[in-house]
Structures are given as C-alpha cells and as structure tokens.
Amino acid sequence: AKMENHTRISEFTLSGFKSQPGSQILLSVLFSTMYIVTVVGNICMILIIRMDSSLHTPMYFFLENLSTLDICYSSVITPRATLAFLLGRRSISYSGCASQMFFFSLFGTTEAFFLAVMAYDRFTAICNPLLYQVIMSRRLCVLMVMGSYLSGCINCTIQTSFTFSLSFCGHTEINHFFCEVAAVIHASCSDTLVNELVMLAVCGSIIVGTALVVFISYGYIIITIIQMPSAESRHKAFSTCSSHMITICLFFGTVFFMYARPGAAASPNKTNTISVFYTIVIPMLNPFIYTLRNREVKRSLRKQLKR
C-alpha cells in the first residue's frame, strides 16, 4: 500500500525500456542517431532560412523558431536517455528530474502554441493575401513567439510545482525513460487525484485551445482554396500548407493521447513508445517534412549547394 512520507528523497530511478544489455545498446545507438539527425537537420533548416533573403518572411520566421525549439525539445530528453541506455545509469537526482520536467513541459507547450500561430499565419496568407504583410508585421510575429514561450512557462511552472509538491516514499521508480509528468505523478505515494485533474484540465485546455485555432484556420483555408478559380492556384495554395498539416497531425495526435484523456497518469506502460514518437521522432522529421514538401526551401537548398 502507498504510505505518506514527507521526507524528500535524493534521487529517482528511471525504469522505462528495461531489457537485456544487447537491447540497451541498440536503443542507445538508435536514440543517438535520431538525435544527431534532429540537430543537424534543424540547424541546416535554420541556416537555409537565414542565408536566403527571399525566405525572410513571417512563415519562415516561425519555421526558423520551430527548428530552434525542436533542437531544445529533443536535447532535454535524448542525450540523457542515450547515456542511461549505454552506461546503465538510470538514476536521476530530485532536482535533475524537476529541471527535466520543467524544460520538457516548457518546450512541448511552446511547440503546441507555435503550431497554432503558424496555422493563423497560413490562414492570413491564403484568406487575406492583400493584407498579409500589414497584418503579419514583424512586431506581431515577435509578440506571437514571445506569447508562445510565456504560455509554455506558465504551464511548466504549474505542472512542475504541483507534481513536486507530492510525496515520494523510499526507493522511487519512475516507469519511463525521462521525468514525464504523468509517470512521476504515478510514482508518488500521495493521493494524486488533484494532480491528475490539474494535468487533465491545464494540458487538455491547451491542447484543445490550440487545436481549435488550427482547425478553424484550416477550415477557412480549405474553403478559400476550393473557391479559387484555377487548378494551379489551388495547388500552389495547398502546397504551402501541406507540410504544416502533416506536422500538426503527428504532434497533436500523439500529445492528445498522452495528456488530454482521462486516466493518462494511470497507464504509463502504454505511453513509453508514444513518448519516443513526439519527443524524438517528430523533431527529427520536421526538417525533412518542411524541406521535401516545400518548393521555396528546396530551391534555396539547391542554390546554397551550388554556391
């Protein structure tokens, strides 16, 4: 039975993906490879945007910030997990766990708001093309990025402070490969009902709120594209949105399953693999999605390679 114990422990043990030594080496190779691809791919995306003046538009300003965010997001989780698999050192200090949760929640929440902001940007570009440059001014773009980070700070402060106000008894094992909110809540020996409700309410409202902005924006975008007179203009408009739509489906689909459903904190075994997808795989895929499905980026990339 769980017992109340208000003595602060010094460290946790991360027990996610425990398996045979050979499998641990394979996991470390897989994680390190994906992390290298993530960092290199997103740095290349940032450099392409900065080196080509034709890409200095609001859309690519947000994309550059998304690439920076993806590097930070993956860096909070992947290097430590890789070392844990390789060296077998699965312990993490109390303060280290709190810090990892704080920055993971910060960057994850900020990415959700970024995707909503980028959807609004596409809505403005396609539905109000004549006013696009006026509406999406540099000042508004910067304010949107700052607002996204501020929202992330508010959420990560709430989640981390509520989670680490719980009691943890004796040798505490977290059934995850990093200090994910729901897994740490599940490892507590306190009554976690309030924390689960707070997580569901806060994360659910963020996910539903940002998703609504995305769906409404793309609803108007689809209607506008359908009403365009020529097939060429419809294809051009759709091509500017397709990459973002793929990223949205991948990100919100996995995050909704993780945090916006009742009982999310009670089933960590089901979410370890899904966590790999949205913390490591999606940041790795984003540069390829935006490069392979974007004519302007591909044209800029070819131009830079020729130079």
Side-chain angles (χ1 to χ4, degrees):
K2 291 186 176 182
M3 300 172 57
E4 285 291 332
N5 185 343
H6 294 280
T7 303
R8 176 175 290 188
I9 63 172
S10 61
E11 64 180 22
F12 299 100
T13 299
L14 300 171
S15 61
F17 292 125
K18 265 190 175 180
S19 56
Q20 298 300 319
S23 300
Q24 296 294 292
I25 294 173
L26 180 62
L27 281 171
S28 68
V29 171
L30 181 62
F31 273 47
S32 60
T33 301
M34 288 192 293
Y35 180 65
I36 292 170
V37 173
T38 299
V39 173
V40 172
N42 281 288
I43 287 176
C44 287
M45 179 63 73
I46 293 168
L47 291 176
I48 290 169
I49 293 170
R50 291 195 174 184
M51 293 172 68
D52 191 338
S53 58
S54 67
L55 300 181
H56 294 176
T57 63
M59 174 182 172
Y60 293 104
F61 171 75
F62 293 129
L63 185 54
E64 180 184 349
N65 278 278
L66 180 65
S67 292
T68 304
L69 186 66
D70 279 339
I71 294 172
C72 297
Y73 190 36
S74 186
S75 297
V76 171
I77 307 298
T78 317
R80 200 185 191 293
T82 302
L83 289 175
F85 295 141
L86 185 63
L87 304 177
R89 297 175 183 173
R90 291 179 170 270
S91 61
I92 183 170
S93 67
Y94 187 93
S95 59
C97 187
S99 298
Q100 188 180 59
M101 181 185 293
F102 180 90
F103 287 107
F104 160 73
S105 298
L106 168 63
F107 296 131
T109 305
T110 304
E111 179 141 354
F113 279 94
F114 263 22
L115 293 176
V117 165
M118 292 171 74
Y120 175 75
D121 171 71
R122 290 299 82 208
F123 158 75
T124 307
I126 292 173
C127 300
N128 297 288
L130 298 179
L131 297 175
Y132 178 65
Q133 294 297 334
V134 177
I135 296 172
M136 299 301 295
S137 64
R138 180 74 178 182
R139 180 173 177 273
L140 180 62
C141 292
V142 172
L143 286 175
M144 284 181 166
V145 170
M146 292 174 63
S148 297
Y149 274 103
L150 177 60
S151 301
C153 283
I154 293 171
N155 180 51
C156 69
T157 301
I158 293 172
Q159 295 293 344
T160 306
S161 59
F162 266 81
T163 301
F164 283 89
S165 66
L166 295 170
S167 298
F168 299 92
C169 308
H171 178 73
T172 302
E173 209 171 83
I174 298 173
N175 189 5
H176 219 298
F177 63 95
F178 69 97
C179 289
E180 189 267 339
V181 180
V184 177
I185 290 175
H186 187 71
S188 171
C189 59
S190 300
D191 181 2
T192 61
L193 178 61
V194 173
N195 291 75
E196 291 184 39
L197 291 175
V198 168
M199 185 183 75
L200 181 63
V202 176
C203 294
S205 62
I206 290 171
I207 295 167
V208 172
T210 52
L212 275 176
V213 172
V214 170
F215 293 147
I216 292 172
S217 296
Y218 274 101
Y220 280 106
I221 287 171
I222 291 170
I223 292 171
T224 303
I225 290 175
I226 292 172
Q227 293 175 346
M228 288 180 176
S230 67
E232 183 182 352
S233 59
R234 287 195 296 270
H235 177 73
K236 183 178 180 181
F238 182 76
S239 66
T240 64
C241 302
S242 58
S243 301
H244 188 235
M245 290 171 69
I246 293 170
T247 303
I248 285 169
C249 292
L250 292 173
F251 183 82
F252 280 103
T254 53
V255 171
F256 183 86
F257 182 84
M258 286 291 296
Y259 298 108
R261 61 184 177 88
S267 55
N269 285 324
K270 299 179 181 179
T271 57
N272 272 272
T273 304
I274 297 172
S275 297
V276 173
F277 194 73
Y278 77 87
T279 58
I280 301 173
V281 176
I282 292 177
M284 178 185 70
L285 292 178
N286 278 347
F288 297 100
I289 293 171
Y290 282 102
T291 301
L292 297 176
R293 298 191 62 85
N294 190 301
R295 292 180 183 178
E296 292 177 330
V297 174
K298 286 191 287 187
R299 184 173 63 248
S300 178
L301 179 58
R302 285 194 294 268
K303 185 167 67 175
Q304 298 302 329
L305 290 174
K306 285 180 182 179
R307 286 182 180 179

